Amino acid sequence: MVTKRFTKMENKSADDLVFGKAAHPVEYGFDVKLGVGEVVPNIKVAPAEGSETSVEGMVATTKNIAFSACDRAAAIGLPTLQIEQEHVAQQTKSREISEKTTAVQVEQLEQFHDKYGAKASLMSTVADIREEDMGGLRGSDFDVAMDESFEACAENGASILCVETIGGKVVSDYGISRGDIRAILYGIGLLGSIDMEYMWTKISDIASKYSYCVPGGDTDCAQANTAMFLAGGLTSKNVSHTLAAVARAISGARSLVAVEAGAVGPLKDCGYENPIVKAVAGVPICAEGKNATCAHSDLMGNLAAAVVDCWSNESVYNREEMGGPTTGVWLQSLGYECALMNTATKINKAEDLRDMYTLADKYRDPQALVLAYDNAYRIGEAIVAEGEDIYLRARAAGLEGISIINEAVDAKKLYLTRFERDSLDSAQKTIEQLPEDKDKFAKACIKRYSRKVKEHDPSQYEL
């Protein structure tokens, strides 16, 4: 259960936000300390296609990934290495595979740590295999399998437990595809927050049993990232970019729930909303951006690094490139970016580099604008002002995101097409007219979307 709601900012000002430093540092794994001045690389590699068909295949490919990461880290002199094992569904569904793949990677990292004196850690991201319309979110066989996978990972040495929860996705998908901000607010802000509390209470309890393991954090990959991917590049009109930006602001309130339920960071890398959560809660964060182009494109690749503590790629298949195994190739890219940030810190230029990262992308797109560290702080302030109410704070975050975009447009720093202008104005009008009572909002949404979204089951959220 949630033991607290954030009603004040853990950072005194936006300028307190910078890469490598967090108000509440965290220790885990083999001597890793995050948030105390060093940005560490997080390498994420997906098992080779076909390896997921057997236990032996999964163990072999995960061992190869870890070996390749440790080999390249030693070769280029990385002081710290973090591997993320982002589960495929077969991994989470099988406790045996969860156990063995975790153990074999931890073994490689321990050898790396003992041989070279380098710091090392493993982030285990269990797959959310639940489906709202197929067995449900709570108490289903898939829900139980996830619990067992978290336990297996922690028992076998995982340093960090993470997940990408899907609560509310069936409704937010409907809203994103139709430009319906009410559905987005309901799906991400209310349903997502409720499901987060359910999941993260369990995850935090599991991690607390092991001294080397911490409950890391979540990401709204299932919802806000869906909006971001569908919005696409500057020439795409599949989904409004302003609507995607507002969805991202709302997701900051949702992802904060993990911390309120015991997560201590690092928050998972593909949560582009993480700067908002860091601004509020002061926990270290993972992030991805320009080194995630192996899997997707975004419009904020530099800006995403501005306040990061653990810099990551996005999943890439385990195979050979001209420069060697993909694990080593992408880790080297990450490691050099971290070296740049850490050097800037050592020569007292961290704030300068942070600002350059930010300004490189801040006005490229509304989605980047709302995540610039100064604006992330503003959205955080809007959240804590309504901190006790998960609906009102998500609503406030959305409205603050809209204000930030409008101010940039008025200052002629950001330009919107007619499509984007109309989408933003429509979203603002809709949100402002919504009830200021959570129960009234929930009741109206249940009536509206239970008919439109057949997969949605309000009882899975105790509504």
Side-chain angles (χ1 to χ4, degrees):
M1 62 180 293
V2 162
T3 56
K4 67 175 179 178
R5 294 288 185 199
F6 283 95
T7 56
K8 65 180 183 68
M9 303 291 282
E10 292 295 302
N11 291 281
K12 294 180 181 179
S13 71
D15 202 49
D16 290 341
L17 299 173
V18 67
F19 53 76
K21 296 180 181 179
H24 301 297
V26 62
E27 299 183 24
Y28 54 83
F30 298 106
D31 301 325
V32 176
K33 296 181 180 180
L34 209 61
V36 295
E38 179 191 11
V39 181
V40 307
N42 179 77
I43 181 66
K44 181 166 58 175
V45 180
E49 291 180 279
S51 63
E52 73 281 357
T53 58
S54 69
V55 176
E56 295 76 15
M58 284 296 295
V59 172
T61 194
T62 50
K63 181 177 181 179
N64 177 263
I65 289 167
F67 174 81
S68 297
C70 294
D71 184 62
R72 185 63 64 98
I76 63 173
L78 294 182
T80 308
L81 166 64
Q82 181 161 296
I83 297 174
E84 180 177 359
Q85 187 178 148
E86 191 171 81
H87 283 199
V88 293
Q90 294 90 337
Q91 213 167 350
T92 295
K93 290 177 181 178
S94 168
R95 184 177 183 118
E96 181 184 7
I97 296 178
S98 294
E99 289 174 346
K100 291 183 176 180
T101 54
T102 301
V104 75
Q105 290 200 326
V106 171
E107 181 183 17
Q108 293 292 312
L109 288 169
E110 186 172 20
Q111 291 175 4
F112 171 70
H113 169 263
D114 292 346
K115 184 175 182 178
Y116 298 106
K119 295 167 283 188
S121 54
L122 174 67
M123 175 185 284
S124 290
T125 300
V126 169
D128 193 342
I129 55 177
R130 302 170 301 157
E131 295 182 43
E132 191 166 335
D133 61 331
M134 297 289 288
L137 300 176
R138 302 188 181 201
S140 68
D141 290 344
F142 288 156
D143 187 28
V144 172
M146 288 177 67
D147 293 344
E148 292 181 351
S149 183
F150 280 119
E151 194 76 58
C153 292
E155 283 180 354
N156 286 275
S159 312
I160 314 160
L161 299 181
C162 288
V163 70
E164 301 174 353
T165 51
I166 62 165
K169 179 174 173 56
V170 294
V171 177
S172 65
D173 279 355
Y174 173 91
I176 292 166
S177 64
R178 291 165 176 79
D180 183 349
I181 191 62
R182 182 189 287 102
I184 293 171
L185 179 57
Y186 179 49
I188 298 176
L190 185 58
L191 301 180
S193 295
I194 292 171
D195 186 56
M196 286 272 290
E197 180 174 348
Y198 170 73
M199 287 299 298
W200 277 96
T201 298
K202 297 192 296 178
I203 298 167
S204 297
D205 287 346
I206 291 170
S208 68
K209 302 175 187 177
Y210 307 92
S211 61
Y212 50 78
C213 184
V214 297
D218 212 290
T219 158
D220 199 31
C221 184
Q223 302 184 88
N225 281 15
T226 296
M228 179 180 76
F229 296 150
L230 290 176
L234 297 177
T235 58
S236 175
K237 297 180 181 179
N238 293 325
V239 168
S240 161
H241 290 221
T242 52
L243 196 72
V246 177
R248 183 68 68 186
I250 292 169
S251 74
R254 170 250 183 223
S255 293
L256 180 63
V257 176
V259 184
E260 294 174 325
V264 297
L267 308 185
K268 184 166 157 44
D269 52 291
C270 56
Y272 280 74
E273 68 275 7
N274 285 346
I276 301 171
V277 183
K278 183 176 183 178
V280 174
V283 295
I285 63 172
C286 280
E288 63 183 43
K290 59 184 176 181
N291 292 104
T293 53
C294 50
H296 66 77
S297 175
D298 64 55
L299 292 166
M300 57 202 90
N302 292 294
L303 182 144
V307 300
V308 70
D309 302 288
C310 187
W311 187 236
S312 183
N313 66 317
E314 186 48 277
S315 289
V316 60
Y317 282 124
N318 183 32
R319 59 191 178 202
E320 286 291 319
E321 305 284 356
M322 290 184 69
T326 50
T327 305
V329 170
W330 286 93
L331 175 60
Q332 184 161 340
S333 177
L334 294 167
Y336 285 152
E337 193 69 38
C338 291
L340 173 64
M341 290 185 253
N342 295 333
T343 300
T345 297
K346 291 175 182 176
I347 63 173
N348 297 315
K349 296 292 184 181
E351 288 79 8
D352 292 340
L353 181 56
R354 173 200 62 189
D355 291 346
M356 286 188 281
Y357 277 141
T358 300
L359 289 171
D361 297 329
K362 186 174 182 179
Y363 299 108
R364 189 185 301 275
D365 187 80
Q367 298 175 86
L369 178 69
V370 299
L371 293 175
Y373 70 90
D374 53 338
N375 292 330
Y377 192 89
R378 282 181 55 180
I379 293 171
E381 289 181 307
I383 290 170
V384 299
E386 302 285 358
E388 296 290 350
D389 190 304
I390 56 173
Y391 160 61
L392 286 180
R393 72 186 195 179
R395 179 179 182 270
L399 287 172
E400 188 65 22
I402 291 170
S403 294
I404 289 166
I405 296 170
N406 280 328
E407 289 171 17
V409 172
D410 291 343
K412 299 189 184 307
K413 293 181 177 180
L414 183 72
Y415 297 89
L416 301 180
T417 64
R418 174 52 57 189
F419 169 62
E420 296 292 352
R421 177 78 267 169
D422 290 346
S423 295
L424 188 65
D425 290 346
S426 176
Q428 180 174 1
K429 182 178 179 180
T430 298
I431 295 177
E432 288 176 343
Q433 292 176 347
L434 292 174
E436 296 188 5
D437 180 88
K438 181 180 69 176
D439 293 337
K440 288 183 179 179
F441 174 72
K443 184 177 180 180
C445 286
I446 290 170
K447 182 179 180 180
R448 183 183 186 93
Y449 296 112
S450 291
R451 292 183 292 106
K452 296 177 179 292
V453 185
K454 300 301 183 184
E455 304 90 343
H456 177 42
D457 180 3
S459 69
Q460 291 296 312
Y461 306 88
E462 298 186 341
L463 292 175

